[in-house]
Amino acid sequence: MMSNSFVNVHAGEETGDEAKRFFVLGERIERRLRIRGNWLNLFDVTVPPGSRTPRHAHASPEVFRILEGCLTIWRQTDNGPEEIEAGAGDIVSIAPFMVHGYANRGTVPAVFSAVVDRDMAEFIEEEGATEPPKARPSAETIARMTAAANAYGITILAA
């Protein structure tokens, strides 16, 4: 008997819920799965070389699985700050309200899958651009995204 937990990522095309692409502060984020009425969402995130996400915190946990490249993940644990070099196949969990951020210090894009909650998914989908940026984010863009993040329960601590 087949489990009902199998998800065919192409099946959503029939319902109009296919993968959608967004750009947030230079990162390409593709929705792979959204379970409506639930908190579970799956996105693939591509982080260009030299790009980073500022330290931030939110109420929901996150799980990252590195697919390609290497990502430096910083998180504030109960034992103090921790920096992790995560490569393909590594899985990193972020606890609720844990301050964290990440950077691609390599020379090739880093790609990871992220399991996120509804607020994070809505932030990405409503505030993300549909076209890739032509330049690095300006101070105005970062300020606008920081304010928008706050509306979704995401606190940006350092941009």
Side-chain angles (χ1 to χ4, degrees), residues 5 11 16 22 30 39 54 68 73 76 80 105-106 125 144 147-148 150 156:
S5 63
F22 307 91
E30 297 177 83
W39 74 272
E68 299 174 24
I73 300 170
Q76 182 67 40
R105 295 179 180 161
E125 294 180 1
R144 182 181 58 78
N150 287 334
I156 306 292

Side-chain angles (χ1 to χ4, degrees), residues 40 50 78 155:
L40 182 63
D78 291 340
T155 303

Side-chain angles (χ1 to χ4, degrees), residues 2-146:
M2 181 181 253
S3 166
N4 64 2
S5 63
F6 175 77
V7 175
N8 180 343
V9 294
H10 302 292
E13 294 170 3
E14 298 167 8
T15 63
D17 201 26
E18 70 276 357
K20 296 200 177 187
R21 185 173 294 159
F22 307 91
F23 296 88
V24 177
L25 298 178
E27 296 177 1
R28 184 178 75 206
I29 304 174
E30 297 177 83
R31 183 179 70 215
R32 296 296 182 196
L33 174 68
R34 172 197 261 159
I35 299 178
R36 296 192 189 283
N38 198 321
W39 74 272
L40 182 63
N41 296 272
L42 179 66
F43 288 86
D44 283 350
V45 180
T46 301
V47 184
S51 185
R52 68 179 182 83
T53 291
R55 292 180 182 173
H56 62 283
H58 38 76
S60 70
E62 287 182 294
V63 177
F64 301 156
R65 181 169 187 264
I66 312 304
L67 302 174
E68 299 174 24
C70 186
L71 202 61
T72 302
I73 300 170
W74 182 92
R75 61 188 181 180
Q76 182 67 40
T77 70
D78 291 340
N79 297 324
E82 175 181 77
E83 191 170 281
I84 302 164
E85 293 294 328
D90 289 339
I91 297 172
V92 179
S93 65
I94 307 295
F97 300 106
M98 178 180 279
V99 176
H100 63 286
Y102 55 81
N104 179 355
R105 295 179 180 161
T107 58
V108 298
V111 181
F112 68 96
S113 287
V115 177
V116 301
D117 78 341
R118 180 181 11 235
D119 287 340
M120 181 69 72
E122 288 177 359
F123 167 70
I124 291 166
E125 294 180 1
E126 293 179 23
E127 301 299 331
T130 56
E131 296 294 323
K134 297 186 186 337
R136 292 212 180 253
S138 67
E140 285 179 348
T141 298
I142 292 171
R144 182 181 58 78
M145 292 303 280
T146 298

